[in-house]
Amino acid sequence: MSNGKQDRRFMEAAIGAAEIAEENGDVPIGAVIVYENRIIARAYNQREQLADPTAHAEIVALTQAAAFLESWRLHGCTIYVTLEPCPMCAGALVLARLDRLVFGCDDPKSGACGSLYNIVEDERLNHRLQVTAGVLAEQCSEQLQSFFKQKRSQSN
């Protein structure tokens, strides 16, 4: 399977995880972590559900993947996430030593993988990730826009 097809397949899994976040009233962001062409972690935003500001999809997925591999070093892993990671999540990806980040849509307000900052490719840090941006970006963006449009209409 080509990298492009594989990236789309795993991003679709992340989009599916984001749907669970939305069903639970949270911002629909999903993430999966892949190791040896297999999903070893599947997570979604749970900030509202857990009342935890750190319960971003990426952080939850990192915890699951580390438990699966029995190591905090996630060498050989790729994370697929529907929205460009924030500074907290980008820093955690670097610290976890993932090989690659694939994300859907840019986050111009808090993205830390190219939009506002570029933590995951910063040469001053001890680890960098290969980054592929824009995989199923339109679908990821529409999912978020639809969620916020619905939230705004509920508050009126």
Side-chain angles (χ1 to χ4, degrees):
M1 183 182 299
S2 76
N3 216 28
K5 278 186 177 179
Q6 189 175 37
D7 284 350
R8 286 189 297 278
R9 179 171 66 103
F10 290 128
M11 187 60 71
E12 286 170 355
I15 290 168
E19 290 171 2
I20 299 169
E22 186 168 9
E23 290 167 8
N24 291 330
D26 220 316
V27 177
I29 300 170
V32 298
I33 296 179
V34 174
Y35 178 73
E36 295 180 348
N37 206 31
R38 172 176 156 214
I39 294 175
I40 62 167
R42 185 183 314 260
Y44 49 89
N45 267 15
Q46 297 181 54
R47 293 183 306 167
E48 298 296 335
Q49 189 176 3
L50 299 177
D52 180 352
T54 68
H56 290 204
E58 301 95 320
I59 301 298
V60 176
L62 288 173
T63 301
Q64 291 174 5
F68 179 87
L69 294 174
E70 298 179 342
S71 175
W72 62 268
R73 291 177 186 88
L74 302 181
H75 295 291
C77 292
T78 298
I79 187 166
Y80 293 82
V81 62
T82 56
L83 180 67
E84 178 183 359
C86 71
M88 174 183 70
C89 293
L93 298 177
V94 170
L95 293 173
R97 313 291 199 272
L98 283 98
D99 289 357
R100 187 167 175 245
L101 160 67
V102 179
F103 68 86
C105 56
D106 294 339
D107 185 351
K109 292 184 179 178
S110 63
C113 303
S115 289
L116 292 180
Y117 311 100
N118 197 349
I119 293 170
V120 295
E121 294 180 312
D122 192 320
E123 293 183 6
R124 296 170 295 179
L125 299 176
N126 66 338
H127 180 77
R128 284 164 293 290
L129 284 77
Q130 177 189 351
V131 177
T132 302
V135 175
L136 300 180
E138 190 173 314
Q139 194 173 344
C140 294
S141 180
E142 285 174 7
Q143 189 177 39
L144 286 161
Q145 289 172 357
S146 173
F147 173 81
F148 287 114
K149 183 178 180 181
Q150 182 179 358
K151 283 287 187 192
R152 285 189 297 274
S153 72
Q154 289 173 351
S155 65
N156 290 335

